[in-house]
Amino acid sequence: MSVDAHCHIDLHPDPQKVFETLIADGVQTIAVTTTPAAFKGSSRFMDSMRGIYPAVGFHPEVVAERPQDIKLIRPIIERVQWVGEIGLDGSKRFEKSYDKQKIAFERILVECHLAGGRNLSIHSRNAADDVLDCLERHSGSGTAVLHWFSGTKKQLRRANDLGCYFSVNDQMMSTGKGRTLISEIPIDRLLTESDAPFTLTSSKQSIASCLISCERIISECLGSSHMEVKQKIRSNFDCINQAAG
Ligand SMILES: [Zn+2]
């Protein structure tokens, strides 16, 4: 049984089919969303009893276009264990919205703190230090899982000291830098993800096969068996979920 800690089920051309396939393949999935409105629309593709956990998100790339949505997120945070995709994007394309992203991200962290802490799936492209500063300021916001982390080794160590987990995908490991970073992550903090549909190389590729390939590469990087990696990732996932339960 694999773990997909970051999957955009609702952004696939046929979400219902993806949802059913994930259940049939026994993939424990965090179904992230990009806006609170999208969460409402796609909640039918979520079923915690069968391992598809809903996450309410507000993606940093769309925060500035939808300022009114921030109000919608609070009541949803009350009833979910997972919040994501949230975070900051410091790349050139989104620099104009960066201040607004920060305000929204901090506000969501405060809401999570007020709700007693949540599991957070976090985007930190070109913004790792600022994301970590925010997490440090809002340490009661919950357990952070840094999705597709692409910071430096120093930032990775800082994230680790703050108690963050890391969800990694097979595309990250297609580069030497990605593989080096993965070998720096303690096995107790590692999760797998697909970030589908963005990482799938063809419409025929299944999410389950993508996760298995990710587990295999991790086992090569760490010199452990595939089964050991699979079991460890599952136990990390269970540990986070139980803490939030
Ligand atoms: Zn994503």
Side-chain angles (χ1 to χ4, degrees):
M1 226 184 245
S2 295
V3 168
D4 188 346
H6 188 102
C7 180
H8 295 268
I9 295 180
D10 61 340
L11 300 184
H12 284 78
D14 187 350
Q16 182 68 35
K17 191 167 166 223
V18 173
F19 171 74
E20 284 164 11
T21 308
L22 286 166
I23 291 173
D25 290 340
V27 178
Q28 296 287 303
T29 306
I30 304 307
V32 295
T33 50
T34 50
T35 66
F39 175 90
K40 287 189 172 176
S42 61
S43 49
R44 66 188 183 281
F45 304 120
M46 301 171 183
D47 184 346
S48 319
M49 298 301 285
R50 290 192 287 170
I52 313 289
Y53 297 86
V56 61
F58 203 6
H59 198 291
E61 292 176 12
V62 301
V63 156
E65 295 161 22
R66 314 176 64 97
Q68 70 287 0
D69 276 25
I70 193 79
K71 291 194 203 89
L72 305 175
I73 203 166
R74 182 179 190 168
I76 308 176
I77 288 175
E78 294 284 338
R79 51 193 177 86
V80 291
Q81 282 184 24
W82 282 83
V83 174
E85 180 166 359
I86 56 170
L88 298 174
D89 192 307
S91 48
K92 195 110 194 99
R93 216 173 121 212
F94 301 104
E95 69 184 352
K96 281 206 185 99
S97 70
Y98 199 65
D99 290 341
K100 288 182 180 155
Q101 292 179 38
K102 272 187 175 165
I103 293 167
F105 182 46
E106 294 226 33
R107 172 135 178 221
I108 294 166
L109 294 178
V110 169
E111 300 292 1
C112 290
H113 186 175
L114 292 172
R118 291 293 182 263
N119 296 327
L120 316 165
S121 184
I122 299 181
H123 176 114
S124 59
R125 183 166 53 206
N126 294 335
D129 279 327
D130 284 343
V131 162
L132 297 175
D133 287 347
C134 290
L135 292 174
E136 204 164 41
R137 272 199 296 279
H138 302 284
S139 56
S141 56
T143 304
V145 179
L146 300 176
H147 128 76
W148 202 326
F149 183 76
S150 57
T152 62
K153 282 188 194 177
K154 191 174 164 208
Q155 289 165 332
L156 189 147
R157 282 194 292 273
R158 184 179 169 212
N160 184 40
D161 290 343
L162 287 172
C164 298
Y165 284 74
F166 301 83
S167 58
V168 304
N169 60 61
D170 60 352
Q171 281 217 358
M172 287 170 72
M173 293 182 271
S174 60
T175 65
K177 186 194 169 197
R179 285 187 180 229
T180 310
L181 265 185
I182 282 157
S183 48
E184 298 278 322
I185 301 172
I187 183 80
D188 290 346
R189 298 289 181 78
L190 201 53
L191 295 169
T192 43
E193 65 164 45
S194 68
D195 202 18
F198 304 112
T199 51
L200 299 180
T201 46
S202 83
S203 57
K204 293 205 177 83
Q205 190 186 16
S206 78
I207 291 173
S209 70
C210 197
L211 295 164
I212 288 170
S213 125
C214 190
E215 292 159 0
R216 288 222 167 91
I217 304 172
I218 294 170
S219 67
E220 279 167 27
C221 289
L222 303 184
S224 315
S225 75
H226 182 190
M227 196 43 74
E228 271 173 317
V229 166
K230 204 179 193 47
Q231 284 169 349
K232 190 64 203 156
I233 286 170
R234 181 60 202 266
S235 93
N236 292 344
F237 182 76
D238 289 344
C239 183
I240 300 177
N241 261 346
Q242 277 156 15

